[in-house]
Amino acid sequence: ATTGLLTGCESPPPTTADDGNDGGDNTPPVISNATLANANPRSPLAAMLTLSTDEPTRLTVRIDDGERVWDVAPDDELKTEHSAMVLGMRFGLSHAVTAITEDAAGNQSNADPITYETPPVPLELPTIRVTTRDPERMEPGVNLFNVKWWGDDGREKKLGPIVIMDDRGDIVWSYRNDDDAIADIRQLSNGNILYTNSPAGEMWRLTEIDLLGNVVQRWHATGTPKEVITGSTPVAIDSFHHEVIELPSGNFLGLSSELRVMDDFPSSDTDPDAAPERAAVVGDVVVEFARDGTVIRQFKLLDILDPHRIGYNSMFGGFYNSLYGDLTDAPLRDWSHSNALEYNPADDSVIMSLRHQDALVKIDLATSDLIWLLGTADNWNEPWSSKRLQPTGEIEWQYHQHGSSFSGTGSIMLFDNGLPRASAFQEQPAVEDRYSRAVEYAVDDEAMEVSQPWSYGGPGEDAFYSSYLSDVDWLPITGNILVTDGARETGPDGLPSDAPDRKRWARIFELTHTDPAEIV
């Protein structure tokens, strides 16, 4: 969820103001050279308005699509050369865009409206159906998310749309990446959007774009590209995968990877007595790097946690086939599969979500020391087991989670996917008996304890199941919780299914942070 990215406030009709100062400046500014254009077909709902005035003025842009009228005020600076992004337009409409200028004395001038026609909704964007809308209790702002498409063969397509959706469920901005699927997106402090590429292709690219769809900067991991990369900033790591976040310093903190061949890795996740085997084990690496690509610091998770502890799916390496598949003859093993990280500037630490370990871990960035583990006690040995947070009150552990992040109170929000809701070597429940949750954990670092003050989902009438992807975010104005169960897979009866003909879909919903929670 992103607030302040677009404005959609209803506006009064244009007026010409009197400065109220008889004998003063009553001459309105003269507008010239007004143009409105979008040179980037990747982002068809954004355009740039440019114009000149004969004296310093402030600019307001008014957009009328025949159904709604809203203003965009780019800044409060008085100047004679103006440029402003026109945002918030919708597909398949004719928009009248009017520039309104005001000089220091309060005199206003309105340029002739410029018509901007937007194309129909592209086929690669999803059909959106709004089922619940309670504006009085909803978080103000818009929602930014990416779209993944799956082929008939069950594989992810190399197509990466990004969408901004308003509170009515209308798409008001979009971007199409034809080069590859997109794994993670976020808005940077400068207003631009940062995204990583998905394992449908190569996991060595990171891209920053502005809202016009223009590439601002690219980065690439030097360890794995199989081609010459031009116009991109090199970073001396193996990959970019899942999340890369912006630090308060302006540097980036991201997830990378390494490959280690081990002779004694577990060979089974169902038989604890199976003989170990030689395996090519992929471990997660956390790296801080500057905009110029300089690596500031990094740590390797295989050096911090038990490299022989596995969870379900640790035995599969398909996620990394495109990256490491031709570098080893040993079977690939996706040991930990980190999918989220959150930085805490108060103690220079990072919290990581380790999907295949069914755990969150907190690590000191300066020392690479493990501070704590949050998750089930199953299969943790010393010295790691002594780092487990001890539960207080009623608590249910997460399994194969995604999207961990901080709430406004410092607690941890995450999406408990619930796959397979069992630890390695335990019997897995049937697909129809599994469930997902949005859950909040409150951690007491000093006491090494954790409680569960809130959750939504689980068995019952609110049951839902999304075994992969997905996210949970705390919303800062209302305190509501935004949930994306991004991988719904259901059969004809609407129940969770892993059958070949299952239907894939996704849902975004906003909850009150109450017990019981309500969808608004």
Side-chain angles (χ1 to χ4, degrees):
T2 311
T3 58
L5 186 62
L6 302 171
T7 58
C9 52
E10 302 301 324
S11 305
T15 60
T16 301
D18 185 353
D19 65 357
N21 184 9
D22 292 340
D25 176 12
N26 291 300
T27 305
V30 177
I31 301 172
S32 60
N33 303 320
T35 61
L36 178 65
N38 179 351
N40 194 338
R42 289 177 180 260
S43 185
L45 297 184
M48 181 66 76
L49 175 68
T50 60
L51 58 93
S52 303
T53 54
D54 65 338
E55 60 176 315
T57 58
R58 298 180 185 88
L59 173 66
T60 299
V61 183
R62 182 155 294 158
I63 304 113
D64 184 346
D65 65 8
E67 298 178 10
R68 285 182 285 172
V69 181
W70 69 98
D71 286 352
V72 176
D75 57 56
D76 199 41
E77 183 181 353
L78 290 163
K79 50 191 174 183
T80 58
E81 299 296 328
H82 293 275
S83 61
M85 276 193 281
V86 177
L87 302 170
M89 296 184 287
R90 295 179 290 167
F91 284 110
L93 293 175
S94 177
H95 300 79
V97 180
T98 303
I100 306 169
T101 60
E102 181 181 36
D103 64 18
N107 301 302
Q108 286 188 356
S109 288
N110 299 346
D112 292 333
I114 302 174
T115 300
Y116 189 88
E117 305 277 352
T118 54
V121 179
L123 292 177
E124 71 267 15
L125 296 185
T127 299
I128 296 173
R129 182 167 61 93
V130 178
T131 60
T132 305
R133 183 171 182 266
D134 187 350
E136 295 299 318
R137 295 195 293 167
M138 288 161 51
E139 181 83 2
V142 294
N143 293 302
L144 169 69
F145 59 96
N146 61 318
V147 179
K148 287 180 177 287
W149 286 106
W150 309 96
D152 293 336
D153 59 358
R155 297 176 63 85
E156 187 179 350
K157 293 182 179 180
K158 289 191 174 184
L159 174 64
I162 304 175
V163 165
I164 294 176
M165 182 182 68
D166 70 9
D167 63 354
R168 295 173 173 83
D170 291 330
I171 295 172
V172 292
W173 183 88
S174 71
Y175 170 81
R176 174 180 173 138
N177 174 38
D178 295 311
D179 305 323
D180 207 345
I182 290 174
D184 180 70
I185 55 171
R186 61 193 59 248
Q187 190 183 20
L188 301 175
S189 59
N190 62 11
N192 292 338
I193 290 173
L194 185 75
Y195 67 82
T196 56
N197 286 102
S198 176
E202 307 291 349
M203 290 187 289
W204 41 258
R205 286 181 292 199
L206 178 68
T207 305
E208 177 185 0
I209 59 171
D210 63 21
L211 290 178
L212 293 173
N214 302 315
V215 173
V216 176
Q217 188 170 354
R218 294 186 192 274
W219 296 263
H220 67 273
T222 61
T224 51
K226 303 173 179 65
E227 59 189 76
V228 176
I229 309 298
T230 59
S232 177
T233 303
V235 184
I237 55 177
D238 273 14
S239 67
F240 294 109
H241 72 84
H242 288 92
E243 293 193 353
V244 176
I245 63 176
E246 185 181 26
L247 296 175
S249 64
N251 290 340
F252 295 106
L253 192 69
L255 291 169
S256 186
S257 57
E258 64 162 332
L259 185 67
R260 294 187 191 181
V261 176
M262 299 171 57
D263 293 326
D264 57 348
F265 196 75
S267 62
S268 173
D269 54 14
T270 58
D271 179 6
D273 298 320
E277 65 179 3
R278 182 173 180 267
V281 181
V282 180
D284 289 298
V285 177
V286 173
V287 57
E288 178 183 351
F289 62 98
R291 271 192 169 267
D292 66 1
T294 302
V295 173
I296 308 299
R297 54 184 174 175
Q298 61 181 315
F299 63 78
K300 299 177 178 181
L301 207 60
L302 281 167
D303 294 332
I304 299 172
L305 296 182
D306 181 356
H308 297 95
R309 182 188 188 269
I310 62 171
Y312 280 115
N313 297 117
S314 290
M315 304 304 296
F316 301 104
F319 183 85
Y320 288 103
N321 273 339
S322 64
L323 193 65
Y324 294 122
D326 59 355
L327 300 181
T328 178
D329 60 355
L332 281 177
R333 299 293 183 244
D334 187 358
W335 166 67
S336 56
H337 196 97
S338 182
N339 55 26
L341 72 171
E342 189 77 5
Y343 177 70
N344 187 349
D347 57 5
D348 193 34
S349 67
V350 63
I351 293 176
M352 301 174 63
S353 164
L354 311 180
R355 175 169 165 86
H356 291 176
Q357 296 287 325
D358 299 320
L360 299 186
V361 296
K362 181 175 181 178
I363 296 172
D364 186 314
L365 276 177
T367 64
S368 299
D369 290 338
L370 176 64
I371 299 174
W372 51 246
L373 293 162
L374 191 164
T376 174
D378 298 330
N379 305 321
W380 285 108
N381 299 316
E382 286 291 352
W384 302 281
S385 57
S386 63
K387 295 290 187 177
R388 276 193 65 249
L389 295 171
Q390 297 305 304
T392 60
E394 287 192 26
I395 195 165
E396 182 178 359
W397 300 121
Q398 76 284 353
Y399 288 89
H400 276 40
Q401 70 285 335
H402 275 85
S404 56
S405 60
F406 290 127
S407 74
T409 62
S411 60
I412 299 170
M413 312 298 304
L414 61 81
F415 190 96
D416 172 14
N417 293 84
L419 171 73
R421 208 153 288 284
S423 299
F425 316 120
Q426 296 176 349
E427 184 178 355
Q428 302 182 41
V431 170
E432 57 268 23
D433 295 328
R434 299 174 189 172
Y435 54 87
S436 301
R437 300 181 302 150
V439 61
E440 176 182 15
Y441 294 115
V443 174
D444 184 331
D445 285 63
E446 292 188 6
M448 289 288 287
E449 294 178 341
V450 59
S451 61
Q452 180 185 295
W454 181 89
S455 69
Y456 176 84
E461 60 180 288
D462 295 326
F464 59 94
Y465 181 53
S466 181
S467 64
Y468 55 99
L469 301 176
S470 307
D471 193 21
V472 172
D473 290 292
W474 178 83
L475 301 177
I477 296 176
T478 57
N480 288 346
I481 309 299
L482 188 74
V483 182
T484 308
D485 46 336
R488 301 297 295 275
E489 296 184 338
T490 52
D493 56 4
L495 297 176
S497 171
D498 55 4
D501 61 347
R502 64 191 181 276
K503 176 183 177 182
R504 277 194 172 104
W505 54 287
R507 178 177 61 156
I508 299 172
F509 57 100
E510 183 177 337
L511 294 164
T512 58
H513 192 199
T514 55
D515 187 13
E518 297 180 71
I519 294 180
V520 298

